Amino acid sequence: MRRLLLTTTTATAAVLVLAGCGTTEPAADSADSADGKISLTDASGKKVTLDGPAEKVVGTEWNVVENLASLGVEPIGVADVKGYQTWNTSVPLKNSPKDIGTRGEPSMDTVASLSPDLIVATTDLTASAVKQLRKIAPVLEVRSADASGQVGRMKENLDLIAEATGKEKRADAVKKEFDEKIAAGREKLEKAGLDGTELAFADGYVASNQVSIRPYTSGSLIGAVNEDLGLKNPWKNKGDKSYGLATTDVEGLTGLGDDVQFAYIAGDDGSRDPFGEELADNKVWKSLPFVKDGNVHKLPDGIWMFGGPGSMGAYADAVVDALTK
């Protein structure tokens, strides 16, 4: 479960305090000049000029790597390839990219050796790392998350990367497929009489024999997708302004209502399942209404909770299937 805690570029224990503030920015301007050059403005406000659609692309974070793969762009370099292949099987890599190091500290020498046309990074990456990457190739930064509008941010990030790689039509198709999954999932829940169901999604990890739980509030991407499906978010915790994540412990779960459904993704990286294992004999956990009523849903592995339309479409399918089975 530890890998879930590395969604930022610093090796902290959790992503509860993240850089970035404000509301979702409007889609960046782009223009194709007469000589075929592409001009973009990224999330940092930097102007990025490319000689043409980027083909040799490096991705420093899994959400941008997923977007590249969804667009049919095979990245030549990816941060923590093994981790991506473990946590994001919804949008698998079709090639064998070079591992450029960790998401927080990409290897500059490795990136340089690939001679990329473009490096796609996020605003979670440190300014010093981005500065070094800009000496290697043009860098397009996207904002990883925005609790004031996660689904809109997700789509705008996809569009910006599509403009840089000449894949605008494919981006439209990816967004359409996602929207159709949401509409179909909402309809299925409505027909089952489950619209308005309270669903608490969380993940957890174990440190010093203590289970820490991370609620995905209404400001999280998962929370936003749940609400688009017609579900209600029962978490009263206030999440951070970027990812909409909070923190609690097993006692904090007693504040959830009697009719709440509980869902989580444990991952398949060899770590333990804190809800299915560590808390299995915990008296507080066993006393919770959703546990006693059998309303705990472990969703399939390989759905990246901070991903793009591909991951979120897979999540929508999984949670709807779990609630209606």
Side-chain angles (χ1 to χ4, degrees):
M1 205 62 201
R2 297 298 296 176
R3 191 173 301 281
L4 285 176
L5 307 179
L6 299 178
T7 58
T8 65
T9 58
T10 56
T12 55
V15 292
L16 302 177
V17 181
L18 298 167
C21 60
T23 58
T24 300
E25 306 94 327
D29 295 330
S30 68
D32 296 339
S33 62
D35 59 1
K37 291 184 180 294
I38 298 173
S39 179
L40 303 163
T41 303
D42 71 6
S44 70
K46 294 282 188 180
K47 293 288 185 181
V48 180
T49 301
L50 305 172
D51 291 335
E55 297 179 357
K56 298 173 61 179
V57 187
V58 167
T60 70
E61 183 54 83
W62 291 346
N63 56 349
V64 303
V65 171
E66 176 183 324
N67 282 339
L68 289 166
S70 295
L71 293 170
V73 177
E74 297 182 352
I76 60 172
V78 169
D80 188 4
V81 174
K82 183 178 179 181
Y84 181 93
Q85 292 170 332
T86 296
W87 286 97
N88 196 336
T89 59
S90 302
V91 186
L93 295 169
K94 295 183 178 180
N95 64 326
S96 300
K98 182 74 174 180
D99 193 310
I100 64 167
T102 68
R103 291 177 285 158
E105 296 181 3
S107 166
M108 300 302 162
D109 288 342
T110 302
V111 174
S113 72
L114 297 173
S115 301
D117 302 328
L118 177 69
I119 301 166
V120 185
T122 74
T123 49
D124 285 343
L125 193 59
T126 62
S128 60
V130 173
K131 184 178 180 179
Q132 293 181 69
L133 289 172
R134 291 192 190 279
K135 296 178 181 178
I136 299 171
V139 175
L140 185 72
E141 285 187 87
V142 302
R143 182 171 177 180
S144 287
D146 183 353
S148 69
Q150 297 286 20
V151 173
R153 165 55 47 214
M154 176 186 74
K155 291 181 177 180
E156 288 173 17
N157 287 348
L158 180 72
D159 285 340
L160 185 59
I161 296 171
E163 291 169 9
T165 56
K167 300 291 185 178
E168 292 93 337
K169 289 184 179 180
R170 176 57 186 159
D172 290 340
V174 170
K175 291 183 294 183
K176 181 180 179 182
E177 182 179 359
F178 167 76
D179 290 339
E180 289 174 346
K181 282 181 178 287
I182 296 298
R186 188 181 186 107
E187 182 179 3
K188 188 174 182 179
L189 290 172
E190 288 176 350
K191 287 183 177 179
L194 295 172
D195 53 311
T197 295
E198 291 188 296
L199 176 68
F201 185 93
D203 65 34
Y205 62 98
V206 182
S208 301
N209 296 318
Q210 296 293 319
V211 175
S212 293
I213 296 169
R214 198 164 58 164
Y216 285 56
T217 73
S218 58
S220 68
L221 180 55
I222 289 286
V225 171
N226 284 342
E227 290 181 1
D228 285 348
L229 288 169
L231 302 169
K232 293 183 178 179
N233 196 316
W235 290 116
K236 297 179 177 63
N237 315 59
K238 184 178 180 180
D240 69 274
K241 65 180 62 176
S242 288
Y243 286 90
L245 303 175
T247 184
T248 189
D249 53 22
V250 66
E251 285 77 14
L253 300 179
T254 60
L256 295 173
D258 292 345
D259 297 325
V260 167
Q261 303 271 339
F262 186 87
Y264 70 99
I265 296 172
D268 187 24
D269 65 341
S271 58
R272 299 190 62 164
D273 172 356
F275 301 111
E277 298 180 47
E278 266 73 16
L279 293 179
D281 296 321
N282 182 281
K283 291 183 179 179
V284 176
W285 172 257
K286 293 196 297 183
S287 72
L288 297 170
F290 54 82
V291 176
K292 292 193 293 184
D293 294 342
N295 291 329
V296 177
H297 310 283
K298 181 182 179 182
L299 302 183
D301 300 330
I303 300 174
W304 182 229
M305 292 89 77
F306 311 97
S311 286
M312 289 303 99
Y315 169 78
D317 286 344
V319 76
V320 170
D321 286 347
L323 293 176
T324 57
K325 67 180 180 181

